[in-house]
Amino acid sequence: MEKNTVKPERRVTVDRVVAGVKVEEDQHLETQRPEIRPLSFDDYTGQTNVKENLKVYVNSAKKRVAQLDHVILHGPPGLGKTTMARIIGAELNALVFETRGPSIERPGDLAGILNQLTPGSILFIDEVHRLSIKVEEVLYSAMEDFHLDIIVGQGPAARAIRTSIAPFTLVGATTRLSLLSKPLLDRFGIQERLEFYDDDALTTIVKRAADIFGISISEGGAREIATRSRGTPRVANRLLKRVWDFTIGAGQSTVDKEHADRVLLRQGIDRMGLDRIDREILRVVSEQYDGGPVGIEALAATLNEDRATLEEVYEPYLVFKGFLNRGPRGRVLTASGQAHIDAVLQRDKKRDGSIFS
Ligand code: ADP
C-alpha cells in the first residue's frame, strides 16, 4: 500500500437487521431521540469494568487538574464506544470534537482539526485504525507533547515547522485493535475493551429505550428482544422499534414475549439471536468443510462475503456464543454450533419454509 493513502474502505454488509454496524435506521432513531444515548457513567448500563476503570482515571485527572491520558476503546460495532467517548467528555466537562479515521486523508486535514481544539478538549476519532501512516506520524508528536511537526514544501525547499497545540485527550475507537500500528497503540495510556452485553444488561437497555420512545413493553417482551440482540445495544434498539411497528400493525398496545418471538422469527432471527447469514456460516462449515478447520479466505469465498466483514461483524458473536472457534489452522465448529445447526435443519425438514430463506 502506498504510504500516504488512506486505508481502503472495506465493504461491511449492513443490510441485516442484526448487524452491529450503524445504518440509516439507527441514525434516524438517534436524531429522533438523542437521549437514547446515555449521557453519564451512571446512566450507561453494563461494561462494569470499563466504566469503573474510566471513572477512576477521569476522577484522578479532575483532582490533579491534569489532562486525561489518551484512551483507546475497542470492541465490535454497536457496543457503545462513541457513547462512552461522549460520556468521558461530559464527565470532564470538556468539549468533544468528533471525526472518523477515513475522513482524515492528509496530514494537513489532521493539522486543521488539531489547531481547532480548545485546551482540555477531547478529540474522538472513530475507526482510528484507518488513519494513513503519514497522518499517524503527525499524531505522534501531538499526542506526546502537544506539538505539530509539519513539513512544508517539497524537495530541497522542504522544511519542518513546529507549532504548539492546545492540550487535549485523544479518544480513539476501533473494531480492529490488531490493525493499529504499534507506535500509535503505545501512545494510548488507557486501553479498554468493550465486551458483548449479557441478557440482564440488555433487558435494562431495552426497557430504558422503550421508556424514551413511549413504547409499552412487558418484562418478558424486553427479555425476548434482549436475548435476540447479539449482545449489542444498537441491535436491541433497532429490534425494539421493529417489533413495536409490528405490534401496532397487529392492533396490540403492548409488546409481550409471544409477539416479540413471532415477529423476530418472521424477520429470520432465531432464538439464539442468529440470522440467516450466521446460520449459513455454521451450515457451510458443517457441511462443506466437515466442521473445519477452514481458512478465513476459503470461507469468505464460499459464502461470497468480504473477509473483513466476516471477521468484524459475524464471527465475534458466533465465537462469543461458543458456536465457532478461531484456531491457528482456521475456523472450527464447536459441538454446540453443530447442535444448533442440526436443530435448525431438522426443524426446516418438518415444515414448509426454510429458516435459511
Ligand atoms: P459504537 O460506537 O461502539 O458503534 P455507539 O456508542 O454508537 O456504539 O452505540 C450504539 C447505540 O447503542 C447508541 O444508540 C446508544 O444509544 C446505544 N448504547 C450503547 N451502549 C449503551 C449502553 N451501555 N446503555 C444504553 N444504550 C447504549
Side-chain angles (χ1 to χ4, degrees):
M1 189 194 311
E2 199 198 318
K3 270 195 142 194
N4 196 22
T5 54
V6 176
K7 291 175 192 164
E9 192 81 51
R10 286 182 322 275
R11 184 172 65 86
V12 174
T13 306
V14 291
D15 58 342
R16 50 194 301 248
V17 71
V18 290
V21 283
K22 194 169 181 171
V23 294
E24 212 174 296
E25 184 180 345
D26 307 315
Q27 186 58 50
H28 186 60
L29 287 186
E30 285 167 23
T31 315
Q32 250 185 338
R33 293 294 169 131
E35 67 272 33
I36 192 81
R37 273 185 199 277
L39 295 173
S40 66
F41 284 133
D42 291 339
D43 203 19
Y44 189 104
T45 309
Q47 309 293 350
T48 316
N49 286 341
V50 176
K51 220 165 51 180
E52 289 311 312
N53 289 345
L54 288 174
K55 262 187 196 174
V56 170
Y57 298 130
V58 164
N59 286 335
S60 152
K62 274 187 328 250
K63 267 197 200 126
R64 290 182 290 119
V65 199
Q67 193 62 37
L68 176 71
D69 216 338
H70 304 297
V71 182
I72 182 94
L73 301 171
H74 58 108
L79 295 192
K81 298 181 290 297
T82 306
T83 307
M84 191 58 102
R86 291 183 188 178
I87 290 176
I88 293 173
E91 299 275 352
L92 284 169
N93 239 330
L95 283 178
V96 180
F97 295 78
E98 294 188 19
T99 183
R100 293 169 57 243
S103 310
I104 310 173
E105 289 185 25
R106 288 173 299 270
D109 299 336
L110 179 64
I113 293 170
L114 293 171
N115 276 322
Q116 268 184 25
L117 299 178
T118 48
S121 57
I122 304 274
L123 173 62
F124 174 61
I125 306 186
D126 201 3
E127 299 183 70
V128 69
H129 59 274
R130 307 269 313 277
L131 293 173
S132 68
I133 308 284
K134 280 257 158 47
V135 172
E136 270 190 18
E137 282 168 354
V138 174
L139 205 48
Y140 299 157
S141 59
M143 289 171 81
E144 247 158 45
D145 52 9
F146 309 120
H147 271 112
L148 270 181
D149 288 315
I150 293 275
I151 307 287
V152 290
Q154 281 184 337
R159 61 204 163 90
I161 296 186
R162 166 164 278 219
T163 55
S164 298
I165 50 170
F168 73 105
T169 295
L170 177 65
V171 180
T174 178
T175 48
R176 304 285 300 277
L177 192 70
S178 58
L179 294 186
L180 236 67
S181 70
K182 181 147 182 349
L184 181 58
L185 188 58
D186 286 347
R187 285 170 170 85
F188 289 101
I190 303 171
Q191 305 190 359
E192 295 291 339
R193 180 185 161 77
L194 277 72
E195 306 286 349
F196 286 114
Y197 291 67
D198 63 27
D199 292 347
D200 287 345
L202 275 178
T203 304
T204 306
I205 290 171
V206 170
K207 288 197 288 190
R208 177 184 175 277
D211 224 30
I212 290 171
F213 283 103
I215 293 173
S216 162
I217 191 165
S218 72
E219 180 72 25
R223 188 157 287 271
E224 196 58 37
I225 292 174
T227 56
R228 314 271 278 261
S229 298
R230 304 178 78 82
T232 306
R234 177 176 289 138
V235 177
N237 289 344
R238 191 186 303 154
L239 292 187
L240 171 68
K241 284 293 274 182
R242 291 269 174 119
V243 172
W244 179 237
D245 287 344
F246 279 92
T247 306
I248 300 275
Q252 275 182 235
S253 56
T254 298
V255 175
D256 59 22
K257 179 175 163 45
E258 289 69 33
H259 191 68
D261 177 50
R262 213 167 334 124
V263 173
L264 294 173
L265 278 180
R266 209 184 307 158
Q267 299 261 319
I269 304 162
D270 67 30
R271 295 197 168 110
M272 288 289 174
L274 306 194
D275 74 354
R276 191 182 56 77
I277 301 171
D278 297 310
R279 290 188 292 274
E280 190 60 15
I281 293 171
L282 298 183
R283 190 185 66 77
V284 162
V285 179
S286 166
E287 292 184 346
Q288 298 198 25
Y289 295 99
D290 220 9
V294 48
I296 185 69
E297 291 294 353
L299 190 57
T302 313
L303 290 159
N304 196 21
E305 269 299 341
D306 172 66
R307 173 187 174 154
T309 308
L310 273 187
E311 287 182 316
E312 205 170 312
V313 182
Y314 304 107
E315 280 190 346
Y317 187 67
L318 293 173
V319 171
F320 171 71
K321 289 299 279 183
F323 289 157
L324 202 66
N325 276 338
R326 279 194 268 221
R329 290 172 49 231
R331 278 57 183 167
V332 181
L333 200 62
T334 63
S336 54
Q338 187 66 56
H340 184 65
I341 206 62
D342 286 347
V344 169
L345 293 169
Q346 196 66 32
R347 264 202 312 276
D348 269 3
K349 267 196 208 150
K350 284 198 203 140
R351 58 169 188 210
D352 284 350
S354 165
I355 196 151
F356 281 102
S357 57

